[in-house]
Amino acid sequence: MNPKTILIGNDHGGYDLVPHILKLLDEKGVSAKHVGSFSGEIVRYPYYAAKVAGAVSRGEIERGILICSTGIGMSIIANRFTGVRASLCTSTYMGKMTRAHNNSNLLCLGGRITGYLEALDILETWLATPYEGGRHDISLGLIAEAEKVLCNPGGWTPEEPPR
Ligand code: RB5
């Protein structure tokens, strides 16, 4: 897969936002791939988080997007993957700052929290804002150091159960 491809995962709470996200990325010429879920049927968000956060963690892609009802569950599970810096953003300012200071590589959105226009604005800003580096490298280095002790680099690749 092209490492620049943005993988998008969601549960039932994030499903309605996905078409808006795909449209924006298409208009911007950004390669994107939706890995599910593909309906409003109730599913378990950790499976979809594992697909996207796992790909980021393994270095297969540079960035991903995860959407559930609040964005909280997705951010909790995604941040357990080594090398993933998942950011739950509810404002454009958060989208900007998490790129500039945290070098965020995974954007989490709340499909039932953030309206789609605001969500698209957050995404555009998150895509466009570069990491500042400098003093922020110190904190990111500490996170990487903590990961060596706290995270299993083998990752987690669960199979989605049959419906
Ligand atoms: C599903 O009902 C909901 O719990 C999920 O979408 C997410 O918001 C969890 O954090």
Side-chain angles (χ1 to χ4, degrees), residues 11-14 43 45 68-74 112:
D11 73 357
H12 48 284
V43 290
Y45 60 83
C68 61
S69 300
T70 59
I72 295 171
M74 287 296 198
R112 293 179 182 163

PDB file of all heavy atoms in Angstrom, residues 11-14 43 45 68-74 112, ligand 1:
ATOM      1  N   ASP A  11     -16.946   2.776  13.497  1.00  0.00           N
ATOM      2  CA  ASP A  11     -18.021   1.867  13.927  1.00  0.00           C
ATOM      3  C   ASP A  11     -19.345   2.482  13.477  1.00  0.00           C
ATOM      4  O   ASP A  11     -19.370   3.436  12.673  1.00  0.00           O
ATOM      5  CB  ASP A  11     -17.944   1.582  15.440  1.00  0.00           C
ATOM      6  CG  ASP A  11     -18.379   2.757  16.310  1.00  0.00           C
ATOM      7  OD1 ASP A  11     -18.695   3.842  15.760  1.00  0.00           O
ATOM      8  OD2 ASP A  11     -18.405   2.599  17.543  1.00  0.00           O
ATOM      9  N   HIS A  12     -20.437   1.952  14.002  1.00  0.00           N
ATOM     10  CA  HIS A  12     -21.766   2.451  13.607  1.00  0.00           C
ATOM     11  C   HIS A  12     -21.946   3.933  13.930  1.00  0.00           C
ATOM     12  O   HIS A  12     -22.620   4.651  13.205  1.00  0.00           O
ATOM     13  CB  HIS A  12     -22.853   1.615  14.295  1.00  0.00           C
ATOM     14  CG  HIS A  12     -22.613   1.428  15.761  1.00  0.00           C
ATOM     15  ND1 HIS A  12     -21.662   0.544  16.243  1.00  0.00           N
ATOM     16  CD2 HIS A  12     -23.165   2.023  16.848  1.00  0.00           C
ATOM     17  CE1 HIS A  12     -21.665   0.593  17.563  1.00  0.00           C
ATOM     18  NE2 HIS A  12     -22.558   1.484  17.953  1.00  0.00           N
ATOM     19  N   GLY A  13     -21.302   4.390  15.011  1.00  0.00           N
ATOM     20  CA  GLY A  13     -21.435   5.798  15.409  1.00  0.00           C
ATOM     21  C   GLY A  13     -20.673   6.743  14.502  1.00  0.00           C
ATOM     22  O   GLY A  13     -20.930   7.955  14.497  1.00  0.00           O
ATOM     23  N   GLY A  14     -19.728   6.201  13.747  1.00  0.00           N
ATOM     24  CA  GLY A  14     -18.933   7.047  12.850  1.00  0.00           C
ATOM     25  C   GLY A  14     -19.320   6.907  11.397  1.00  0.00           C
ATOM     26  O   GLY A  14     -18.831   7.651  10.534  1.00  0.00           O
ATOM     27  N   VAL A  43     -21.372  -2.583  15.661  1.00  0.00           N
ATOM     28  CA  VAL A  43     -20.117  -3.351  15.601  1.00  0.00           C
ATOM     29  C   VAL A  43     -19.244  -2.903  16.772  1.00  0.00           C
ATOM     30  O   VAL A  43     -19.556  -1.929  17.460  1.00  0.00           O
ATOM     31  CB  VAL A  43     -19.363  -3.113  14.268  1.00  0.00           C
ATOM     32  CG1 VAL A  43     -20.105  -3.747  13.097  1.00  0.00           C
ATOM     33  CG2 VAL A  43     -19.120  -1.620  14.022  1.00  0.00           C
ATOM     34  N   TYR A  45     -15.923  -1.256  18.027  1.00  0.00           N
ATOM     35  CA  TYR A  45     -14.929  -0.341  17.449  1.00  0.00           C
ATOM     36  C   TYR A  45     -13.474  -0.815  17.558  1.00  0.00           C
ATOM     37  O   TYR A  45     -12.669  -0.472  16.681  1.00  0.00           O
ATOM     38  CB  TYR A  45     -15.095   1.078  18.023  1.00  0.00           C
ATOM     39  CG  TYR A  45     -14.931   1.191  19.513  1.00  0.00           C
ATOM     40  CD1 TYR A  45     -13.683   1.297  20.091  1.00  0.00           C
ATOM     41  CD2 TYR A  45     -16.032   1.203  20.364  1.00  0.00           C
ATOM     42  CE1 TYR A  45     -13.528   1.397  21.469  1.00  0.00           C
ATOM     43  CE2 TYR A  45     -15.905   1.294  21.731  1.00  0.00           C
ATOM     44  CZ  TYR A  45     -14.649   1.385  22.272  1.00  0.00           C
ATOM     45  OH  TYR A  45     -14.491   1.482  23.634  1.00  0.00           O
ATOM     46  N   CYS A  68     -15.760   7.023  15.867  1.00  0.00           N
ATOM     47  CA  CYS A  68     -16.849   6.320  16.563  1.00  0.00           C
ATOM     48  C   CYS A  68     -17.834   7.386  17.028  1.00  0.00           C
ATOM     49  O   CYS A  68     -17.768   8.527  16.561  1.00  0.00           O
ATOM     50  CB  CYS A  68     -16.324   5.442  17.698  1.00  0.00           C
ATOM     51  SG  CYS A  68     -15.451   6.301  19.013  1.00  0.00           S
ATOM     52  N   SER A  69     -18.729   7.069  17.917  1.00  0.00           N
ATOM     53  CA  SER A  69     -19.746   8.056  18.312  1.00  0.00           C
ATOM     54  C   SER A  69     -19.110   9.286  18.941  1.00  0.00           C
ATOM     55  O   SER A  69     -19.430  10.423  18.599  1.00  0.00           O
ATOM     56  CB  SER A  69     -20.723   7.439  19.308  1.00  0.00           C
ATOM     57  OG  SER A  69     -21.361   6.342  18.737  1.00  0.00           O
ATOM     58  N   THR A  70     -18.223   9.040  19.896  1.00  0.00           N
ATOM     59  CA  THR A  70     -17.580  10.151  20.595  1.00  0.00           C
ATOM     60  C   THR A  70     -16.131  10.365  20.164  1.00  0.00           C
ATOM     61  O   THR A  70     -15.547  11.410  20.469  1.00  0.00           O
ATOM     62  CB  THR A  70     -17.547   9.867  22.110  1.00  0.00           C
ATOM     63  OG1 THR A  70     -16.816   8.633  22.307  1.00  0.00           O
ATOM     64  CG2 THR A  70     -18.952   9.745  22.685  1.00  0.00           C
ATOM     65  N   GLY A  71     -15.530   9.376  19.553  1.00  0.00           N
ATOM     66  CA  GLY A  71     -14.090   9.403  19.244  1.00  0.00           C
ATOM     67  C   GLY A  71     -13.244   8.910  20.407  1.00  0.00           C
ATOM     68  O   GLY A  71     -12.048   8.662  20.249  1.00  0.00           O
ATOM     69  N   ILE A  72     -13.876   8.753  21.574  1.00  0.00           N
ATOM     70  CA  ILE A  72     -13.108   8.407  22.774  1.00  0.00           C
ATOM     71  C   ILE A  72     -12.624   6.962  22.742  1.00  0.00           C
ATOM     72  O   ILE A  72     -11.444   6.679  22.957  1.00  0.00           O
ATOM     73  CB  ILE A  72     -13.941   8.671  24.051  1.00  0.00           C
ATOM     74  CG1 ILE A  72     -14.234  10.165  24.206  1.00  0.00           C
ATOM     75  CG2 ILE A  72     -13.185   8.165  25.283  1.00  0.00           C
ATOM     76  CD1 ILE A  72     -15.238  10.488  25.310  1.00  0.00           C
ATOM     77  N   GLY A  73     -13.555   6.040  22.470  1.00  0.00           N
ATOM     78  CA  GLY A  73     -13.160   4.624  22.441  1.00  0.00           C
ATOM     79  C   GLY A  73     -12.063   4.378  21.418  1.00  0.00           C
ATOM     80  O   GLY A  73     -11.081   3.665  21.695  1.00  0.00           O
ATOM     81  N   MET A  74     -12.217   4.961  20.243  1.00  0.00           N
ATOM     82  CA  MET A  74     -11.204   4.795  19.196  1.00  0.00           C
ATOM     83  C   MET A  74      -9.848   5.321  19.668  1.00  0.00           C
ATOM     84  O   MET A  74      -8.806   4.701  19.417  1.00  0.00           O
ATOM     85  CB  MET A  74     -11.622   5.531  17.917  1.00  0.00           C
ATOM     86  CG  MET A  74     -12.741   4.867  17.148  1.00  0.00           C
ATOM     87  SD  MET A  74     -12.246   3.238  16.511  1.00  0.00           S
ATOM     88  CE  MET A  74     -13.507   2.996  15.235  1.00  0.00           C
ATOM     89  N   ARG A 112     -20.939  11.552  16.469  1.00  0.00           N
ATOM     90  CA  ARG A 112     -22.173  12.067  17.074  1.00  0.00           C
ATOM     91  C   ARG A 112     -21.892  13.261  17.977  1.00  0.00           C
ATOM     92  O   ARG A 112     -22.745  13.682  18.764  1.00  0.00           O
ATOM     93  CB  ARG A 112     -22.886  10.947  17.838  1.00  0.00           C
ATOM     94  CG  ARG A 112     -23.394   9.881  16.887  1.00  0.00           C
ATOM     95  CD  ARG A 112     -24.086   8.725  17.549  1.00  0.00           C
ATOM     96  NE  ARG A 112     -24.478   7.747  16.534  1.00  0.00           N
ATOM     97  CZ  ARG A 112     -24.818   6.493  16.789  1.00  0.00           C
ATOM     98  NH1 ARG A 112     -24.825   6.049  18.031  1.00  0.00           N
ATOM     99  NH2 ARG A 112     -25.151   5.676  15.813  1.00  0.00           N
TER     100      ARG A 112
HETATM  101  C1  RB5 B   1     -20.992   2.849  20.537  1.00  0.00           C
HETATM  102  O1  RB5 B   1     -22.259   2.902  21.023  1.00  0.00           O
HETATM  103  C2  RB5 B   1     -20.071   3.844  21.222  1.00  0.00           C
HETATM  104  O2  RB5 B   1     -19.768   3.361  22.476  1.00  0.00           O
HETATM  105  C3  RB5 B   1     -18.848   4.049  20.391  1.00  0.00           C
HETATM  106  O3  RB5 B   1     -19.202   4.526  19.133  1.00  0.00           O
HETATM  107  C4  RB5 B   1     -17.823   5.016  20.927  1.00  0.00           C
HETATM  108  O4  RB5 B   1     -18.334   6.289  21.041  1.00  0.00           O
HETATM  109  C5  RB5 B   1     -17.071   4.621  22.116  1.00  0.00           C
HETATM  110  O5  RB5 B   1     -16.269   5.366  22.649  1.00  0.00           O
END
